[in-house]
Amino acid sequence: MNWSPIDFEADLNKDQYAAVTAKDGPALVLAGAGSGKTRTLTYRVAWLLLEKNISPNQLLLLTFTNKAAKEMIERVQSLTGLGQTPRWSGTFHSIGGRLLRQYGSLIGLSQSYTIMDQSDSEGLMTAVIKDSDKAFLKNKDHPKAKVIQNLLSYARNTRQPFVDLLRERYPWHENISAQINGFVKLYDTAKREQQVVDYDDLLVLWLRLLQEFQDVQAACQEHFPYILVDEYQDTNIIQAEIIDLIGAHHNIMAVGDDAQCIYTWRGALFENIRSFPERHPGTSIYKILTNYRSIPPILKLANNVLAMQPGDSGYPKELVAERKGNMRPYVVPLIDTRQQAQFLVSRIEALYEEGIPLSNIAILYRAHYQALDAQLEFTRRGIPFIITSGLRFFEQAHVKDFVAQLRVLSNPDDSPAFERLLCLLPKVGPATVKKVRMAADKVLKKQLDGHESAHGDLFDKAHPRDPDFFTALAADEVSNKIPVDARDDFKSMVATFLEVRPLLQGKEALSPNQAVEQMLEGWYGDYIRNVYPDWENREEDLQSIISFASRFETMAELLAQLVLMNSETSDKHIEPDDEAVRMTTIHQAKGLEFPVVFLISCADEWLPLKRAIEEGDVDEERRLFYVAVTRAMNELYLSFPMMHATRGGGVQRMMPSRFLSEIPSEHYEKLSYGSRW
């Protein structure tokens, strides 16, 4: 054995060392949360280079982000002191792109092919649809190109027939499913003719080369006798098959954690990591279970979460704490989401006084709408926070769009809101909005002809108290100002206003939450389904406004608060490095760690989500819960509301998450808000 600058046995714990020095052959490394997965993989590369004398060009290192690959290679360079490091390292897509440059001519792809980004792909899909049927995208009931493109991507990455998936997810498009499938075929033809590929092609065509050309497969097998795969639990069916074909020699080390497989919604296949030993006979399984992140009580709770999963749902494992500490997690039942927000502020202020920086504190949640009250309360109390998984609630486009509708419903004179709303329609800009407003004014003048002296300057524009404004919008001479492509959408929008506006008047007028519910059931509810691929998440966000609206007696009060909150959350830009509390979804928190974690809204139908319960995806929700609790280093708080306002003005009793209910009481301390802080 050659001299090595690294003392592998001294640098690694027993489990890590066993995996790093594994003999040739297939190896599955199950690296638990906080156990040093990246360290293990980095040292494995160094071991192969220094101890096995493997050429850097013979290693294939596959990751899920280029950043991860770069960091690993930099660590290898620092460890080994070698100038040469694996040249074939990067994401599956980047490696696929390089190999397509080399072998793509076999399937009619030139070396100078172009890779389209998401915007380019959507543009090409739009173009082929318009070339095939100019009227298709003009119909408000038809899905937009972005929705079709997103569904196609999922179908390809999960290898499901596109038409079957379309009928399953969008059953209301059954009558046009054959036509949409025709667009998909035209899209593929256009890509070939233009010598362009989209992101998914980098995998699909790579696999095709391996399957159809034995010499390509043999060349890859010879060139990459050693393959290392990071985050193996996140691979989809195509990525797993690529690895299986290239790694026919079985010198594959797959590193991951089945308990952290939380991306099946975007194509990850949980079965890949479960079936790895079957696909690669003789697989050695290494478990790295020493956790360097969390104190023992937090890990006891996390281990219990895993222990309660069905027997065939994953590899048995139990994390072992390296750190010391005896502070048990807290379970905090609260009256509602407003009291939950008050609790967060109270405890965070106390933590800050204890010397814990705000940047060491994270608030995690399953879905964006669950953090609405927390954001409002933090804004009111002046506690800085950063949404690391997107925009603040009221800064999201679909929320701002919907609030604009409520503003116009209450006050048609609200020109900024009216303009924002109409500009959602295709080919409608400020100039068109002005023409529409002027045309509506003319219709109103005709309706009020003979009463000018009574109305004075109200002829200059539609008056907010004049219910005839929406009737005027419905007139042909007004709708004709809208481009043909957007006319159906415009008429549907106006129809919603005509339906809801009269219900706001009189003794039996709709309450604010009822008005919000009515508006959601109208035009915009249909709009988001055909415009946004993630319409279900956005619909849940908007549904949460119904509950929020139930706190107000009038629409004027509701709108005043909505506008105030939107302006308040937008008035200060906080940089990522600033001293501020981190707010993020659980998905976006994976791979991160925080000294203090608040996992909020741990109620059934929120975590797990109601949608997941209905669709039978509770196992993945459990893994999400596990990922969330294992982000915490020193303190963990699990809170849930006991009541929640529902559609129609009622109140729903919320039950604690089934994942919480399964945890023995000795693993946590129950906290009654107000009794201690």
Side-chain angles (χ1 to χ4, degrees):
M1 185 175 290
N2 295 334
W3 175 84
S4 170
I6 305 171
D7 187 342
F8 287 91
E9 195 165 6
D11 286 359
L12 304 166
N13 67 34
K14 183 179 177 181
D15 293 340
Q16 292 170 339
Y17 182 73
V20 165
T21 60
K23 64 182 185 301
D24 285 0
L28 178 61
V29 180
L30 299 169
S35 65
K37 171 182 66 68
T38 302
R39 182 179 183 82
T40 301
L41 197 52
T42 302
Y43 270 78
R44 175 61 175 178
V45 174
W47 173 270
L48 292 173
L49 294 176
L50 296 175
E51 304 296 330
K52 299 281 292 182
N53 292 318
I54 303 301
S55 166
N57 290 332
Q58 290 182 299
L59 293 181
L60 175 61
L61 174 60
L62 293 164
T63 63
F64 274 82
T65 66
N66 284 312
K67 179 183 178 183
K70 182 181 178 183
E71 288 177 353
M72 284 190 209
I73 294 306
E74 288 176 348
R75 289 195 195 184
V76 170
Q77 288 176 326
S78 177
L79 274 174
T80 64
L82 296 176
Q84 274 192 311
T85 50
R87 190 168 62 90
W88 290 88
S89 61
T91 65
F92 280 86
H93 294 85
S94 66
I95 299 298
R98 290 172 64 180
L99 290 171
L100 284 176
R101 298 280 182 205
Q102 192 169 342
Y103 298 109
S105 60
L106 295 171
I107 54 174
L109 198 61
S110 72
Q111 281 192 327
S112 59
Y113 75 84
T114 304
I115 301 173
M116 297 187 294
D117 61 18
Q118 185 66 30
S119 177
D120 295 331
S121 300
E122 291 167 11
L124 182 58
M125 181 66 79
T126 300
V128 298
I129 292 173
K130 288 182 176 180
D131 287 345
S132 176
D133 183 348
K134 287 182 169 52
F136 184 86
L137 293 176
K138 298 176 183 178
N139 190 321
K140 70 178 182 65
D141 295 323
H142 290 170
K144 304 304 181 188
K146 183 176 183 178
V147 173
I148 298 173
Q149 176 68 30
N150 183 268
L151 189 66
L152 173 61
S153 177
Y154 183 80
R156 298 179 78 193
N157 281 289
T158 57
R159 198 175 289 153
Q160 297 183 61
F162 174 78
V163 172
D164 291 352
L165 199 60
L166 176 64
R167 289 169 177 163
E168 175 189 329
R169 292 197 172 187
Y170 298 90
W172 53 89
H173 291 321
E174 169 68 29
N175 61 322
I176 56 172
S177 60
Q179 185 182 18
I180 295 174
N181 193 47
F183 297 149
V184 166
K185 293 178 180 178
L186 290 171
Y187 171 76
D188 284 336
T189 300
K191 284 190 297 181
R192 289 196 300 271
E193 290 175 348
Q194 298 178 25
Q195 287 292 300
V196 297
V197 299
D198 59 27
Y199 199 56
D200 301 319
D201 285 324
L202 299 175
L203 296 183
V204 173
L205 296 182
W206 180 9
L207 179 59
R208 180 184 164 191
L209 282 171
L210 295 173
Q211 290 175 329
E212 296 182 7
F213 300 93
Q214 289 299 315
D215 54 340
V216 175
Q217 185 182 133
C220 288
Q221 290 170 354
E222 181 180 357
H223 193 71
F224 305 122
Y226 289 87
I227 300 173
L228 301 99
V229 188
D230 189 22
E231 303 287 10
Y232 188 77
Q233 78 279 349
D234 294 334
T235 55
N236 62 32
I237 189 171
I238 298 176
Q239 290 163 328
E241 289 195 15
I242 287 172
I243 296 165
D244 291 349
L245 287 173
I246 295 179
H249 44 68
H250 299 303
N251 279 334
I252 305 169
M253 178 170 280
V255 183
D257 183 5
D258 55 300
Q260 297 188 71
C261 179
I262 59 174
Y263 295 112
T264 61
W265 52 274
R266 68 183 188 195
L269 185 61
F270 181 73
E271 184 58 25
N272 286 345
I273 197 167
R274 293 287 297 141
S275 64
F276 185 87
E278 298 170 17
R279 302 196 320 276
H280 299 279
T283 292
S284 298
I285 298 179
Y286 301 89
K287 295 182 180 180
I288 304 177
L289 302 177
T290 301
N291 178 285
Y292 295 92
R293 175 184 299 155
S294 307
I295 61 174
I298 292 174
L299 290 187
K300 286 180 181 178
L301 186 146
N303 286 332
N304 187 265
V305 173
L306 284 191
M308 296 303 295
Q309 66 185 350
D312 60 349
S313 295
Y315 294 92
K317 63 178 73 69
E318 186 169 319
L319 298 176
V320 179
E322 172 70 15
R323 298 180 58 225
K324 306 298 181 183
N326 56 14
M327 185 176 184
R328 288 190 296 174
Y330 289 99
V331 171
V332 192
L334 298 151
I335 294 175
D336 54 19
T337 54
R338 279 184 286 181
Q339 191 182 61
Q340 181 174 249
Q342 292 163 5
F343 161 71
L344 291 173
V345 169
S346 175
R347 183 59 190 136
I348 288 171
E349 286 179 340
L351 289 168
Y352 187 72
E353 290 176 2
E354 293 170 14
I356 296 177
L358 294 180
S359 57
N360 284 3
I361 301 170
I363 298 172
L364 309 185
Y365 38 85
R366 175 64 180 88
H368 283 291
Y369 67 86
Q370 295 168 6
L372 168 58
D373 275 303
Q375 292 183 36
L376 297 180
E377 189 67 16
F378 278 37
T379 300
R380 279 193 286 263
R381 301 287 288 272
I383 296 178
F385 64 94
I386 296 174
I387 306 294
T388 62
S389 56
L391 298 170
R392 298 186 179 201
F393 187 83
F394 287 113
E395 292 175 344
Q396 298 175 101
H398 58 290
V399 176
K400 294 178 78 170
D401 293 342
F402 187 72
V403 170
Q405 287 187 96
L406 298 180
R407 289 166 57 184
V408 172
L409 176 70
S410 180
N411 174 17
D413 261 353
D414 190 334
S415 295
F418 188 69
E419 181 173 319
R420 179 182 182 91
L421 195 55
L422 260 62
C423 286
L424 293 177
L425 306 179
K427 297 183 179 179
V428 173
T432 301
V433 175
K434 185 175 181 180
K435 291 177 183 177
V436 169
R437 174 73 75 173
M438 292 175 64
D441 289 347
K442 290 180 180 179
V443 171
L444 283 172
K445 285 182 179 180
K446 290 179 182 178
Q447 293 174 349
L448 299 173
D449 191 28
H451 304 278
E452 294 189 26
S453 59
H455 290 274
D457 63 359
L458 297 188
F459 288 110
D460 294 338
K461 58 182 179 178
H463 193 271
R465 291 189 296 273
D466 193 335
D468 291 333
F469 174 73
F470 296 110
T471 304
L473 288 180
D476 289 341
E477 50 263 59
V478 177
S479 60
N480 286 341
K481 301 296 182 182
I482 296 289
V484 175
D485 291 2
R487 204 163 291 167
D488 286 343
D489 277 337
F490 176 74
K491 290 180 178 179
S492 181
M493 180 193 299
V494 173
T496 299
F497 283 123
L498 284 172
E499 180 181 352
V500 180
R501 171 75 182 194
L503 301 178
L504 297 179
Q505 313 297 325
K507 293 182 180 180
E508 303 299 322
L510 295 178
S511 62
N513 62 310
Q514 290 172 327
V516 170
E517 186 175 342
Q518 288 278 93
M519 292 297 288
L520 269 176
E521 292 175 353
W523 169 79
Y524 197 70
D526 292 333
Y527 173 83
I528 61 172
R529 288 182 175 224
N530 291 321
V531 170
Y532 294 114
D534 61 342
W535 65 269
E536 290 174 309
N537 295 334
R538 294 174 188 263
E539 187 176 72
E540 288 172 344
D541 285 342
L542 298 179
Q543 291 286 351
S544 70
I545 298 179
I546 297 176
S547 174
F548 182 74
S550 66
R551 305 171 189 177
F552 304 92
E553 294 185 3
T554 68
M555 280 292 290
E557 292 175 350
L558 168 63
L559 287 169
Q561 189 65 35
L562 287 174
V563 174
L564 178 63
M565 285 301 165
N566 187 41
S567 61
E568 286 180 346
T569 58
S570 303
D571 62 1
K572 182 182 179 183
H573 179 69
I574 300 176
E575 296 295 334
D577 294 333
D578 286 353
E579 181 66 11
V581 175
R582 270 54 182 168
M583 288 191 183
T584 180
T585 62
I586 301 171
H587 280 103
Q588 291 295 321
K590 184 174 176 291
L592 304 177
E593 61 184 27
F594 305 93
V596 181
V597 167
F598 293 85
L599 178 57
I600 65 173
S601 300
C602 297
D604 245 29
E605 298 192 359
W606 284 5
L607 179 60
L609 284 178
K610 180 179 180 180
R611 176 161 34 104
I613 297 172
E614 293 172 347
E615 296 174 359
D617 292 335
V618 173
D619 285 351
E620 180 150 343
E621 296 286 299
R622 179 187 298 280
R623 296 194 292 270
L624 268 171
F625 187 80
Y626 172 78
V627 166
V629 299
T630 54
R631 300 310 96 195
M633 299 168 65
N634 304 327
E635 297 185 37
L636 173 63
Y637 300 84
L638 307 163
S639 65
F640 67 93
M642 294 182 287
M643 293 187 297
H644 182 62
T646 62
R647 300 177 67 165
V651 176
Q652 175 186 357
R653 182 184 177 188
M654 303 292 286
M655 302 301 293
S657 168
R658 60 192 67 191
F659 308 137
L660 267 184
S661 300
E662 293 169 350
I663 300 171
S665 58
E666 63 264 24
H667 289 323
Y668 60 83
E669 182 176 335
K670 195 169 183 179
L671 175 66
S672 296
Y673 173 53
S675 66
R676 183 163 176 178
W677 293 293

